[in-house]
Amino acid sequence: MSVSDGRISRLRVNATVILALILAVLPLPHWMDIARPYLLLLLVIYWSLSAPRIAGLMFAWLCGMAIDLLKGTTLGQHALAFLLVSFLTHKFQLRMRIFPLSQQTVTVLLLLFLYEFVVFWTDGIIGYPVTTWTRWIPVFTSTLLWPVLVAILDTWNRRSR
Amino acid sequence: MVTLSSDSRPIIGRGPPLGATLFFLGVISVIVMVLDHRGGYLDTARLWMSAAANPIYTVVQTPGQLWRWITGSFADRSQLRTENAQLTEQLRIARTQLLRFESLNEENRRLREIREASKGVSERTLIAEIISVSVNPFRHMVVINKGADDGVFRGQPVLDAFGVVGQVMQVGKTTATLILITDAEHAVPIQVNRNGIRSIAMGTGEAAKLSLPYLTVESDVRKGDLLVSSGLDAIFPAGYPVATVTRVERNSADTFALVEAKPLAQLDRDREVLLLWANKPKVPAPEEAIEAVKQ
């Protein structure tokens, strides 16, 4: 499997991360903007499952930091949320990998809820709470994106074995 | 997923246990958050790290810029001609207004000199372009293409041709993040231009609405009144137009009137904004004031 080949896979992981960062700040019309899925977080979950030696907790933390920097939020806020999600994924990695896709999607939904809750909670502590229900929309759009992402990346990984 | 079964974590070379890493990075996150939020101790770190974010902003920008360049180069001749005519007309009007402005400015300076408060007249400006990246759909913030290298500082006032836009919130090496006056966390101290009543205009989170919650029912404010910055926050210099009052509702049972205003700056249409370096008028220290009174 390409995963055991450290160099190629690391390049691949980094390439997807950069793409996700670009998509995270791409200007979109407002109605699409509020539903923008957390592509980078999905990637962190995916790579934590399929390449856990490359995508460790440090990787997740740095990804969160990058989001903080690009989005101009308090440094460390998204980093903490990414870290927690990545920790749980690593913890249940062996179980999640043999889940059927439907069950995996539900697990991802729970992880995304946790992520959004951590961000929401720290927002509240810092003092800029966004309390509209619309902030939960990305959780669902991201969940819908998960099977698609898995299909694409699995195909890609298998082809260039 | 199922295809990638060969990579379970080996026993040797696993690195530190997961829990320890989680604890370590978690503590660092919290420390970083406290430092960044409480004291702004990480401004310099953010300055340098944002330089790393620059390539990503550039990539996001490129298609739009390319499109503008293409449409610009193929704009047809008659269109350019009408545009030229319009601009000439505008320039003529502006010139005539400027003529008067010069004399008024001179008069103002003389009057200020008489009052011995001539500081606070000279100002420096710089045009910055808004980078079209989406930061946070729930906040009214934009990124501009000028940063610490151009002398931009935190809390700097930002204007456009029509009024106050907002202030600088974060500074990077070559970019800066602005918070607009319509953001729900932003407030501008203002004055009603007609009679000088002072109040505060708070952002509402809506694009074209400010709210003035601290005007009493009796206060003399009408629909159509111009609100200008009062300068009491020592961020926005006094006298710049901020908004016009669009709605006043008085309910005699309440203490405060319901007053709403519309920002004059074209917050949702601007491509370029003006950064302002204002020389703050010297506020006399309390001792000096007391001395003055004694004399």
Side-chain angles (χ1 to χ4, degrees):
Chain A
M1 195 61 242
S2 61
V3 167
S4 51
D5 185 344
R7 215 170 29 160
I8 291 177
S9 219
R10 200 176 288 271
L11 185 70
R12 177 170 304 186
V13 171
N14 291 343
T16 54
V17 165
I18 288 169
L19 188 69
L21 285 175
I22 289 170
L23 290 175
V25 290
L26 195 72
L28 292 175
H30 183 71
W31 61 272
M32 280 165 80
D33 200 13
I34 57 173
R36 182 196 301 263
Y38 301 132
L39 184 58
L40 186 59
L41 185 65
L42 293 180
L43 281 175
V44 165
I45 298 175
Y46 179 86
W47 291 122
S48 301
L49 289 175
S50 55
R53 269 183 288 171
I54 296 167
L57 293 190
M58 194 65 182
F59 165 78
W61 191 74
L62 288 175
C63 285
M65 258 326 197
I67 287 285
D68 278 328
L69 199 63
L70 282 180
K71 297 265 174 188
T73 43
T74 309
L75 287 178
Q77 185 185 7
H78 287 86
L80 183 66
F82 268 66
L83 180 70
L84 285 176
V85 168
S86 165
F87 172 74
L88 288 176
T89 316
H90 275 275
K91 198 82 184 161
F92 299 108
Q93 171 217 353
L94 292 176
R95 239 172 289 176
M96 272 182 78
R97 264 162 52 166
I98 54 166
F99 277 166
L101 192 56
S102 56
Q103 209 175 337
Q104 213 175 53
T105 310
V106 174
T107 321
V108 168
L109 175 67
L110 293 178
L111 287 174
L112 288 167
F113 258 115
L114 174 79
Y115 168 80
E116 191 63 46
F117 179 74
V118 171
V119 174
F120 179 54
W121 189 46
T122 41
D123 260 354
I125 294 173
I126 290 165
Y128 307 117
V130 177
T131 45
T132 55
W133 61 272
T134 46
R135 76 169 292 149
W136 300 92
I137 294 178
V139 172
F140 296 102
T141 50
S142 306
T143 311
L144 292 178
L145 189 65
W146 174 254
V148 182
L149 189 79
V150 167
I152 293 171
L153 288 178
D154 269 2
T155 316
W156 190 31
N157 284 336
R158 205 177 300 141
R159 181 168 299 166
S160 53
R161 195 189 313 222
Chain B
M1 258 332 99
V2 276
T3 59
L4 304 170
S5 57
S6 64
D7 188 89
S8 53
R9 284 157 61 89
I11 294 170
I12 299 163
R14 264 186 182 185
L18 276 182
T21 321
L22 174 77
F23 181 75
F24 177 67
L25 288 177
V27 168
I28 290 187
S29 311
V30 173
I31 292 174
V32 165
M33 270 196 277
V34 171
L35 283 180
D36 191 26
H37 178 60
R38 288 285 154 177
Y41 293 108
L42 296 181
D43 280 359
T44 331
R46 200 186 268 276
L47 207 75
W48 287 100
M49 291 201 300
S50 73
N54 245 355
I56 289 174
Y57 286 151
T58 315
V59 171
V60 171
Q61 278 281 82
T62 313
Q65 273 175 346
L66 199 66
W67 175 247
R68 271 209 303 284
W69 182 78
I70 290 172
T71 48
S73 358
F74 290 103
D76 68 347
R77 214 173 136 206
S78 62
Q79 198 188 329
L80 286 178
R81 196 173 278 169
T82 44
E83 203 176 300
N84 193 348
Q86 273 172 7
L87 289 176
T88 319
E89 180 68 13
Q90 272 176 23
L91 186 66
R92 194 177 300 132
I93 294 169
R95 278 242 175 90
T96 44
Q97 278 171 356
L98 206 61
L99 284 176
R100 231 177 55 214
F101 172 79
E102 280 298 324
S103 65
L104 284 177
N105 200 16
E106 188 57 31
E107 186 182 335
N108 190 5
R109 202 181 57 78
R110 269 204 316 277
L111 290 173
R112 273 172 186 275
E113 266 171 13
I114 294 168
R115 290 180 52 209
E116 291 181 28
S118 66
K119 295 116 191 161
V121 195
S122 69
E123 277 158 356
R124 187 162 77 83
T125 57
L126 178 70
I127 289 182
E129 198 176 318
I130 292 179
I131 298 179
S132 53
V133 293
S134 156
V135 184
N136 183 340
F138 299 107
R139 304 290 305 275
H140 291 209
M141 299 193 287
V142 292
V143 183
I144 55 168
N145 68 348
K146 294 280 187 288
D149 286 353
D150 308 283
V152 177
F153 59 93
R154 194 175 178 167
Q156 183 170 23
V158 181
L159 316 168
D160 72 357
F162 304 94
V164 173
V165 169
Q167 57 175 295
V168 175
M169 199 167 94
Q170 288 166 0
V171 188
K173 284 295 277 180
T174 54
T175 54
T177 309
L178 309 183
I179 180 165
L180 304 182
I181 53 172
T182 48
D183 187 277
E185 298 289 331
H186 195 269
V188 201
I190 49 93
Q191 232 174 346
V192 179
N193 196 34
R194 185 163 51 82
N195 51 21
I197 294 177
R198 280 191 294 270
S199 184
I200 295 174
M202 320 265 274
T204 55
E206 284 175 52
K209 202 165 102 180
L210 296 175
S211 110
L212 285 79
Y214 307 119
L215 280 169
T216 52
V217 188
E218 294 86 21
S219 55
D220 175 22
V221 57
R222 283 185 230 138
K223 194 174 162 181
D225 275 349
L226 175 69
L227 306 176
V228 298
S229 54
S230 69
L232 287 181
D233 55 353
I235 289 176
F236 296 102
Y240 281 97
V242 177
T244 47
V245 176
T246 50
R247 186 173 159 211
V248 182
E249 247 176 58
R250 294 187 170 86
N251 184 350
S252 48
D254 294 340
T255 320
F256 295 105
L258 183 98
V259 184
E260 282 169 8
K262 186 174 175 299
L264 287 166
Q266 303 195 323
L267 296 176
D268 47 351
R269 270 164 290 167
D270 278 333
R271 290 214 52 81
E272 273 144 7
V273 291
L274 212 60
L275 292 159
L276 191 71
W277 282 263
N279 288 353
K280 302 255 158 55
K282 188 171 159 250
V283 180
E287 302 88 56
E288 286 179 37
I290 291 167
E291 284 296 312
V293 170
K294 274 179 189 166
Q295 284 165 9

